[in-house]
C-alpha cells in the first residue's frame, strides 16, 4: 500500500509548521513512520529557489540585482520548478515505499497566492500545477484558518522582519485568505478547515482526530 500525502495550508502565521512538528512526533510515537517536508525548499535545489523567492531586497548581497522586483510570472514559474523537483525527488519515492508525508504547502498555495493574491490566470496555474505534480494530488489537505492580521502579528513575535511575500499588503493577504475559503468550499472531501485561532494544543487535538480517521489509526 502506498503512503498518503497530507498537506498543511494557510495564510502567514497560521501555525502549520508547529502543528506539523507536533503531528510528526505524535505519529512516530504510535509507530507510524512519516516524512516531513515543505514547499518551497523540500530539496537541495528547492532551498536555493526558496531563498531567491523569499529574501527581502535588503538581504541581497552586494552586486546582485539590488531591489529588482521578481516578476509575477517568474515567481509562479519558480514555485512550479520547486514543486517539480520536490515531487520527483521526495514525494513520489517516499509515497511509493509506503511512507506517509506531512507537507508544509503544496498546489493550493499557488492557487491562493499567485491566483487569488496576485490575480494570475487560473487556467495557467492549474496547467502548471498539473505539469509540476504529474497529477499527484494531496490525499488530505488541512487548512488552518486564521485571521490574516492575527497570523502576521504571530510572525512578528517570533522573527525579525517579514520576508518578501509576508511584506505584501493586507489586501493581498486577505485575497489569499479568500482563496483558501473558495478552495475549501470547492473541494470539501479533500480540504478540511481547522480553526487555527484556538490554542496550539486544541488545534493539535482536532488535527489528531482527523488523522486518526484518515489514516485508520484507531483510538
Ligand atoms: P512558508 O513556508 O514559511 O509558509 O513560506 C512560503 C511562502 O511562499 C509563503 O509566503 C507562501 C508562498 N508560496 C507561494 O506564494 N506560492 C506557492 O506555491 C508556495 C508553495 C508558497
Amino acid at each position: 500500500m502506498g503512503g498518503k500525502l497530507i498537506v498543511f495550508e494557510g495564510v502567514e502565521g497560521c501555525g502549520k509548521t508547529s502543528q506539523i512538528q507536533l503531528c510528526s512526533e505524535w505519529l512516530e510515537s504510535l509507530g507510524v513512520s512519516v516524512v516531513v517536508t515543505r514547499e518551497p525548499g523540500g530539496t537541495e535545489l528547492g532551498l536555493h529557489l526558496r531563498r531567491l523567492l523569499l529574501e527581502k531586497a535588503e538581504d541581497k548581497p552586494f552586486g546582485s540585482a539590488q531591489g529588482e522586483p521578481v516578476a509575477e510570472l517568474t515567481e509562479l514559474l519558480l514555485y512550479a520548478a520547486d514543486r517539480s523537483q520536490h515531487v520527483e525527488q521526495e514525494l513520489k519515492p517516499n509515497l511509493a515505499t509506503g511512507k506517509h508525508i506531512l507537507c508544509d504547502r503544496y498546489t493550493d498555495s499557488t492557487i491562493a497566492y499567485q491566483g487569488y493574491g496576485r490575480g494570475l490566470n487560473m487556467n495557467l496555474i492549474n496547467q502548471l500545477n498539473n505539469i509540476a505534480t504529474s497529477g499527484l494530488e494531496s490525499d488530505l489537505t488541512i487548512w488552518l484558518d486564521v485571521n490574516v492580521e492575527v497570523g502576521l502579528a504571530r510572525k512578528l513575535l517570533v522573527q525579525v522582519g517579514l520576508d518578501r511575500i509576508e511584506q505584501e499588503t493586507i489586501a493581498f493577504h486577505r485575497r489569499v485568505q479568500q482563496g483558501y475559503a473558495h478552495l475549501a468550499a470547492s473541494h470539501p472531501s479533500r480540504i478540511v478547515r481547522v480553526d487555527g485561532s484556538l490554542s496550539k494544543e486544541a488545534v493539535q487535538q482536532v488535527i489528531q482526530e482527523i488523522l486518526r480517521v484518515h489514516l485508520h489509526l484507531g483510538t
Side-chain angles (χ1 to χ4, degrees), residues 90-107:
E90 189 72 12
L91 302 189
K92 280 188 185 166
N94 278 304
L95 292 171
T97 62
K99 289 217 172 109
H100 298 313
I101 296 178
L102 305 181
C103 186
D104 195 332
R105 299 194 182 280
Y106 195 51
T107 49

Side-chain angles (χ1 to χ4, degrees), residues 10 12 16-17 38-40 50 54 75 79 82-83 104-107 109-111 113-114 155 163 165-166 172:
E12 313 299 333
K16 53 191 173 46
T17 310
R38 69 174 173 182
E39 289 192 1
R50 182 180 176 92
L54 298 180
E75 179 182 280
Y79 279 114
D82 169 77
R83 181 158 305 131
D104 195 332
R105 299 194 182 280
Y106 195 51
T107 49
S109 277
T110 318
I111 296 173
Y113 281 79
Q114 280 66 49
K155 280 262 152 180
D163 69 32
I165 295 207
E166 290 162 352
F172 171 89

Side-chain angles (χ1 to χ4, degrees), residues 48-78:
H48 293 291
L49 294 173
R50 182 180 176 92
R51 192 177 52 76
L52 292 173
L53 278 160
L54 298 180
E55 72 184 347
K56 293 172 266 182
E58 59 266 31
D59 290 342
K60 287 183 178 152
F62 182 75
S64 75
Q66 295 274 346
E68 178 182 285
V70 179
E72 292 181 344
L73 185 58
T74 310
E75 179 182 280
L76 173 65
L77 292 169
L78 289 175

Side-chain angles (χ1 to χ4, degrees), residues 170-182:
I170 285 289
F172 171 89
H173 292 294
R174 291 215 180 100
R175 289 195 297 277
V176 172
Q177 176 74 325
Q178 282 161 8
Y180 281 120
H182 284 138

Side-chain angles (χ1 to χ4, degrees), residues 4-6 20 24 27-28 32-38 42 86 90-91 93-95 97-104:
K4 300 242 180 174
L5 175 57
I6 296 158
I20 288 173
S24 150
L27 287 167
E28 295 284 350
V32 180
S33 163
V34 286
V35 170
V36 172
T37 186
R38 69 174 173 182
H86 191 217
E90 189 72 12
L91 302 189
N94 278 304
L95 292 171
T97 62
K99 289 217 172 109
H100 298 313
I101 296 178
L102 305 181
C103 186
D104 195 332

